[in-house]
Amino acid sequence: MPSRDSAPGDDAGDDRDDDPEESAVGDDGVEATADGDEVGSDHDSAGSGGDGTSAAAGGTPAAAGEPETPETAGNGLTRAWDRLSPVRDRVRRRFEVDTRSLAAVRIALGLVILIDLLHRSQDLELFYTDAGVYPVSAYEATYGQYTGVSIHALSGDLWVQQLLFVVAALFAVAFLLGYRTRLVGVVSLLLLFSLQARNPALLNGGDRLFRVLLAVALVTPLGERWSIDALRRGSAREAVASFGTAALLAQPVVVFTSNAIAKHAGEEWYAGDGLSIALHNEVMTTALGKVVVDFPTLLTLLNYGWVVLLSGSAVFLLATVGRVRMVAAFVYTSAFVGMLLTMAVGLFPLLLMTAMLPFLPAVFWDALSRHVPSAWIDRLPSPSAAAAALGPLGRPPIERRILDPDREGWYGEASDYAIAYGRSLLTVLGFCVLVWMLVFSAATVGDYDVPDEIDYEHLDQQKWGLYAPDPTESYSWYPSRAYLANGSTANAFGGGELTFDRPPDPAAEYPNFRHRKFMSAVDSSGPDGAIAESYADWVCERAQETHDAPVDRVTVYEVYQRSPIDGEYEDPGRQIVIERDCSAS
């Protein structure tokens, strides 16, 4: 059993171990005590000579011509390791993250969870109950990879969905506040995946990035600062470097690089026309986006700027440190703000902005803290007072009290071993996450397949094809016609006779981007697909409620319009997507 004085298995040691604020304090409870967050120790205990003399301090090497012994071999390895210290320091600096940045990531992810729940709740009955367009029967008949993995699919009743949304919101608030951060974060991730799996027809690339970014972030100490966990713990590290932080920093770079490679397979982006085509898609463009399209020279410059940011992300974000990295993060964030204001692509820009937070260095937070009014700081309670105000929540977690390393004898040694083992597991998990990210992203853009042992569809989450290889040059909307029993026809949802003219604002044909995604899935499923049939049954019901006369049948059309890239609109085309006999519904 390892000695309690040598912190067995603790890979958190580095050249800052003498600073009490830099001690390897856990994140939150058992999972926090398992935060082995430092990659590589700068003073490896294996570097001692056989006589107890430090090899780094000049342990006696083997004499010339004498056979190498384990002692001299160990000294040689230690000297080689020490000579690599400058390289290791440079690598470490590039994967070190300020714990205030990690706290900002936690808060941002918690807010995005709440925003997502609020947005989805507007269509709670429509998309998640048996009274809507995607009942549980449709869930069981489609998207086989999600069958049986959604808690939300256990019932099609509205009240069950409402309850699950409230539970998810409560966990999101706890995550945002940093209470048992990792445990609460894992539950939030499971609830998020369950919600997404309930109706995969609504998902886009932003939803994939959401679950991936949250999963990757959970292998870092998100609760180290600005959290209830930090108050309960009473101390915090200023910065951490680990396989987990490396994965968190690498994830957006993987997204950008994969997308740049996918765009290179097309023609428009590297010719300078991709952004213009994307913004001429009127169902995916906001009011501001419709203004920007009138400035073609600006669009060309922004197009090439975006391609440079995507292609050079590894250099701009990973190869830099300090203020240069901060400026790079701000440049990327400004691009995502532009995306948010001009394109209706869901959560994607919010999550990309969140992914930039780990790149903010200590100099940013230090400068920001100097601009906080002193009167505000004076009003803040001390950490001990804040912990006391939390009442029972302010006490150290029960698992921390159980694994008390200050106890003497075998119990203390067993506690040390459990803590070290937990840290080692977290280090291994961070390494596995990093490898998973790189392997699957490389397989997506390359010509090889991942090994069969890990070729599992739920692991294949590193496909980033937003507007790639080329943006589409047309868009669609889906009107429905009702054939009434009295022989007349009408718009299935009211408003007079159905027309196929291009609407003044095609984006207004969809209440939000999830409706657009769902109608695309209806179209893709074919007239006999389960999604199309469920939607047609729902249209029949709405038409019956809208019109006084009985409805015999309904027809759902796709009307498609070529984007007016050259300033001229062509006549829209149309085709029938579904024909449904409402008497059979």
Side-chain angles (χ1 to χ4, degrees):
M1 186 168 291
S3 168
R4 299 180 60 207
D5 295 331
S6 62
D10 186 357
D11 59 351
D14 62 10
D15 54 1
R16 299 173 301 167
D17 280 353
D18 292 333
D19 186 345
E21 291 301 313
E22 299 296 325
S23 61
V25 179
D27 185 11
D28 42 3
V30 164
E31 63 272 20
T33 60
D35 275 352
D37 284 302
E38 306 299 331
V39 177
S41 172
D42 289 347
H43 48 274
D44 197 324
S45 60
S48 297
D51 58 356
T53 305
S54 171
T60 305
E66 293 183 2
E68 189 178 67
T69 66
E71 292 180 5
T72 58
N75 290 340
L77 291 174
T78 301
R79 286 194 297 272
W81 179 254
D82 289 341
R83 281 195 292 270
L84 290 175
S85 180
V87 176
R88 291 188 288 113
D89 288 343
R90 291 190 184 95
V91 173
R92 180 189 178 85
R93 287 185 64 197
R94 279 153 181 79
F95 292 106
E96 187 176 64
V97 179
D98 192 284
T99 50
R100 289 168 292 187
S101 297
L102 292 178
V105 170
R106 184 194 76 242
I107 293 170
L109 286 173
L111 289 174
V112 175
I113 293 174
L114 293 173
I115 291 171
D116 185 44
L117 290 170
L118 180 62
H119 184 267
R120 290 175 182 268
S121 67
Q122 301 173 22
D123 300 303
L124 187 59
E125 183 175 12
L126 179 66
F127 288 136
Y128 304 102
T129 72
D130 287 343
V133 296
Y134 195 74
V136 173
S137 58
Y139 160 82
E140 294 173 344
T142 58
Y143 301 103
Q145 68 269 35
Y146 294 105
T147 302
V149 299
S150 175
I151 301 172
H152 293 71
L154 294 178
S155 172
D157 294 336
L158 178 60
W159 72 269
V160 174
Q161 305 306 315
Q162 291 171 331
L163 176 62
L164 288 171
F165 268 57
V166 170
V167 170
L170 293 176
F171 274 96
V173 171
F175 183 66
L176 188 153
L177 296 176
Y179 175 71
R180 290 188 171 272
T181 307
R182 185 165 288 119
L183 175 62
V184 167
V186 169
V187 176
S188 292
L189 176 62
L190 293 176
L191 289 171
L192 173 65
F193 183 74
S194 172
L195 177 59
Q196 293 182 355
R198 172 61 182 87
N199 192 341
L202 305 176
L203 306 182
N204 67 0
D207 296 294
R208 180 187 297 113
L209 181 59
F210 196 1
R211 59 181 181 263
V212 167
L213 188 60
L214 179 55
V216 173
L218 288 174
V219 298
T220 68
L222 297 177
E224 190 73 20
R225 300 279 285 274
W226 300 348
S227 65
I228 293 176
D229 290 334
L231 292 175
R232 303 168 82 191
R233 194 170 49 240
S235 61
R237 290 165 289 183
E238 293 182 358
V240 292
S242 69
F243 287 119
T245 59
L248 186 61
L249 293 171
Q251 182 60 72
V253 175
V254 166
V255 174
F256 303 148
T257 304
S258 299
N259 192 247
I261 295 172
K263 282 179 166 59
H264 194 270
E267 299 178 356
E268 306 297 348
W269 286 100
Y270 287 84
D273 300 324
L275 185 59
S276 177
I277 296 173
L279 288 177
H280 275 92
N281 186 331
E282 295 183 317
V283 300
M284 295 185 66
T285 306
T286 66
L288 180 59
K290 292 178 174 62
V291 173
V292 175
V293 295
D294 294 330
F295 301 89
T297 302
L298 175 62
L299 287 180
T300 300
L301 292 174
L302 292 175
N303 179 102
Y304 282 123
W306 179 236
V307 170
V308 169
L309 289 178
L310 291 177
S311 304
S313 59
V315 175
F316 300 144
L317 293 174
L318 292 183
T320 57
V321 294
R323 288 181 171 85
V324 177
R325 173 175 281 189
M326 178 181 69
V327 171
F330 285 155
V331 171
Y332 279 86
T333 300
S334 66
F336 305 145
V337 171
M339 182 189 297
L340 179 66
L341 296 177
T342 58
M343 298 178 175
V345 290
L347 301 173
F348 213 90
L350 293 177
L351 292 163
L352 290 174
M353 285 187 273
T354 299
M356 290 298 101
L357 293 174
F359 293 94
L360 297 178
V363 63
F364 169 79
W365 299 109
D366 293 341
L368 188 63
S369 64
R370 288 194 292 269
H371 289 83
V372 178
S374 57
W376 293 8
I377 297 177
D378 294 339
R379 292 176 184 175
L380 293 175
S382 65
S384 58
L390 291 173
L393 294 181
R395 298 182 61 196
I398 184 171
E399 57 270 23
R400 178 173 286 273
R401 299 196 297 271
I402 292 174
L403 296 176
D404 183 4
D406 293 330
R407 298 190 184 185
E408 298 297 332
W410 68 269
Y411 191 94
E413 292 183 351
S415 297
D416 279 339
Y417 185 86
I419 293 171
Y421 184 75
R423 286 174 177 158
S424 299
L425 283 179
L426 192 61
T427 299
V428 171
L429 179 60
F431 176 77
C432 291
V433 168
L434 184 60
V435 172
W436 158 75
M437 180 189 307
L438 298 176
V439 167
F440 277 91
S441 60
T444 298
V445 299
D447 295 328
Y448 75 94
D449 297 326
V450 298
D452 293 337
E453 292 79 7
I454 59 172
D455 189 10
Y456 182 55
E457 55 194 356
H458 285 305
L459 289 178
D460 189 7
Q461 299 291 312
Q462 295 291 338
K463 297 178 180 178
W464 311 109
L466 182 66
Y467 289 110
D470 289 318
T472 179
E473 297 187 14
S474 64
Y475 53 86
S476 303
W477 61 96
Y478 298 86
S480 299
R481 170 175 285 160
Y483 295 82
L484 308 181
N486 58 16
S488 63
T489 62
N491 188 325
F493 304 119
E497 179 55 43
L498 187 69
T499 66
F500 300 102
D501 297 332
R502 184 182 64 86
D505 182 10
E509 295 298 300
Y510 302 100
N512 55 57
F513 78 97
R514 298 211 182 274
H515 285 255
R516 185 181 70 240
K517 289 295 297 183
F518 185 81
M519 291 309 303
S520 177
V522 169
D523 190 4
S524 300
S525 72
D528 299 324
I531 299 178
E533 290 185 352
S534 296
Y535 179 73
D537 290 341
W538 179 83
V539 173
C540 284
E541 294 174 6
R542 297 291 82 75
Q544 294 283 7
E545 295 174 358
T546 302
H547 301 283
D548 295 334
V551 177
D552 287 340
R553 60 189 176 93
V554 297
T555 301
V556 179
Y557 298 88
E558 178 197 14
V559 183
Y560 45 93
Q561 172 74 65
R562 186 172 177 81
S563 300
I565 300 171
D566 56 0
E568 298 292 333
Y569 285 99
E570 299 180 0
D571 292 335
R574 70 174 183 266
Q575 62 183 8
I576 294 175
V577 177
I578 311 169
E579 288 186 297
R580 186 69 165 176
D581 182 358
C582 292
S583 62
S585 299

